[in-house]
Amino acid sequence: MSTLIFGGTGFVGLNLVEDLLTKGEHVIIFDKGSMPDSAIKEFNKLPGSFDLFEGDVRDSDSIAKAMKQGPESVIYGAAITSGIERDISNPKATIEVNLMGFLNVLECARSLDACRIINLSSSGAYGDAAFGDNVLFEAKTDPDPKTIYAVSKFASERIGTRMGELWKLDVVSVRLSAVFGRWERQTNVRDTPSPLYQIASLIMNGENVKLSREDCRDWIYAPDIARAVRAVRDANQLRHSVYNISNGQYWSALKWGQAFAKHFSGIKCDLSVGQEKPNVETHTPKERKPLSIERLQQDTSFVPQYDLDSSVADYHSWLTKPKSQRN
């Protein structure tokens, strides 16, 4: 199996690459950004093989060249995860990458036969509807996106469905829940890292963590995202155009941070009190409801592997193990 991943050197992209290489597959990694040297060294130890293809999703010619590699599946993960400052200063770039880049890929994919195209959307597509009283279902929850990022993700889903119908393409979008874990790092296309990444970074640096609130949601460890996307790719028949991807569990960033802090003597993770300033930036102003994965589990083989404790254990091991020994 050969898979072409757009945005393959990003946080989620690297987890996808690692998962597929572990399975002995061939991966074509398309990205404007470079892959970390540590990832190249580690991925070279895995059973699969990969090619690096430098290109920009805003350039149809470079996409077409990558498509000539003849992938059997395509994953679109190129994205700018913009915050409010970028929404103010440069909304065009987010739209160009998140939406127009995807359309460019769909157009070039018309030359491929029997190729499933997976669009990595986001729980952000639900927008303000995510802060209601109910679990978020693909068919029952009406999205109400507000930010440029959320609007672009929701629009990409609709574009994928419409052009899939018109161009006879096998297109499916997956809404990723709150992802954290392996290979997450600061980049110029992701304005705010996950709160759990921030918590782990502070603790690893010997600093206490202060949170403004518990920040409950269905956090999902990055390797589980990769396994779920692979399950969508490999499903014989998908009955829907959009699927939630989550772990089906609900816990707080506070509890996760407290569990992680137990690995470090004298370090604490608490809520800020009085005049104390939080040192972790959250992604939303209030608690988001979890995503239902009923549809995903009905149509694919995906079963979440990591809960709070096992994700803490694996992430701690991964972060503290010498890079040369990670695989």
Side-chain angles (χ1 to χ4, degrees):
M1 174 69 78
S2 176
T3 300
L4 169 56
I5 303 178
F6 291 92
T9 70
F11 163 39
V12 173
L14 289 176
N15 279 274
L16 293 169
V17 172
E18 184 173 39
D19 177 78
L20 297 178
L21 293 178
T22 300
K23 296 297 181 180
E25 299 187 16
H26 179 66
V27 185
I28 305 160
I29 303 165
F30 182 107
D31 209 308
K32 185 179 179 181
S34 60
M35 179 180 286
D37 290 339
S38 59
I40 294 175
K41 292 178 181 178
E42 292 180 39
F43 292 174
N44 276 326
K45 301 174 186 176
L46 298 175
S49 60
F50 65 93
D51 292 320
L52 290 171
F53 201 105
E54 184 176 347
D56 193 320
V57 295
R58 292 169 289 190
D59 176 20
S60 294
D61 289 339
S62 62
I63 294 171
K65 291 178 182 178
M67 291 291 187
K68 290 181 179 178
Q69 303 294 314
E72 297 164 85
S73 63
V74 172
I75 300 173
Y76 190 81
I80 293 177
T81 310
S82 57
I84 188 170
E85 294 302 322
R86 198 190 297 249
D87 279 5
I88 294 171
S89 64
N90 191 14
K92 183 179 179 180
T94 303
I95 297 296
E96 286 178 339
V97 172
N98 297 4
L99 186 56
M100 297 307 299
F102 180 49
L103 183 57
N104 289 339
V105 167
L106 292 177
E107 187 169 24
C108 291
R110 298 175 70 182
S111 63
L112 301 177
D113 294 327
C115 176
R116 176 163 291 165
I117 302 164
I118 302 175
N119 172 39
L120 301 188
S121 184
S122 166
S123 59
Y126 284 108
D128 286 357
F131 306 114
D133 298 324
N134 302 312
V135 172
L136 305 176
F137 289 89
E138 300 93 336
K140 298 178 182 178
T141 308
D142 293 327
D144 186 20
K146 294 292 197 300
T147 67
I148 297 299
Y149 173 75
V151 168
S152 70
K153 284 300 181 181
F154 181 60
S156 73
E157 297 173 5
R158 294 301 178 93
I159 289 291
T161 299
R162 180 57 174 163
M163 302 321 297
E165 293 171 350
L166 295 177
W167 290 342
K168 310 302 180 184
L169 298 172
D170 181 3
V171 184
V172 60
S173 292
V174 291
R175 292 175 178 164
L176 309 185
S177 186
V179 192
F180 72 98
R182 299 182 187 182
W183 299 113
E184 187 169 5
R185 66 196 192 282
Q186 293 276 5
T187 68
N188 61 1
V189 295
R190 200 160 181 259
D191 289 346
T192 305
S194 74
L196 302 192
Y197 169 85
Q198 298 175 56
I199 290 170
S201 297
L202 288 167
I203 292 174
M204 292 281 290
N205 288 329
E207 299 179 50
N208 291 325
V209 177
K210 293 294 180 180
L211 294 163
S212 61
R213 56 186 175 85
E214 292 194 17
D215 201 7
C216 297
R217 63 180 62 197
D218 49 340
W219 305 100
I220 181 167
Y221 195 46
D224 263 348
I225 286 285
R227 293 174 55 251
V229 171
R230 174 162 49 83
V232 170
R233 185 202 66 176
D234 294 344
N236 290 329
Q237 183 177 6
L238 295 173
R239 295 177 294 170
H240 308 281
S241 61
V242 178
Y243 290 84
N244 290 334
I245 290 183
S246 177
N247 69 352
Q249 301 177 42
Y250 200 62
W251 70 68
S252 71
L254 175 65
K255 288 186 177 181
W256 189 92
Q258 290 172 338
F260 192 84
K262 289 180 181 178
H263 291 277
F264 300 83
S265 177
I267 302 298
K268 295 183 178 180
C269 177
D270 296 303
L271 296 177
S272 59
V273 179
Q275 299 300 312
E276 291 180 330
K277 291 185 177 181
N279 54 4
V280 173
E281 185 177 356
T282 60
H283 283 183
T284 60
K286 51 187 176 181
E287 312 302 301
R288 174 177 65 71
K289 292 300 179 181
L291 280 62
S292 167
I293 56 172
E294 180 179 328
R295 175 183 285 187
L296 177 69
Q297 293 190 310
Q298 287 175 345
D299 286 5
T300 76
S301 62
F302 175 66
V303 176
Q305 179 176 335
Y306 293 94
D307 58 12
L308 186 154
D309 290 332
S310 58
S311 68
V312 165
D314 187 84
Y315 198 27
H316 172 262
S317 176
W318 190 84
L319 287 171
T320 55
K321 186 181 297 183
K323 293 180 179 179
S324 61
Q325 300 176 18
R326 283 182 182 169
N327 287 308

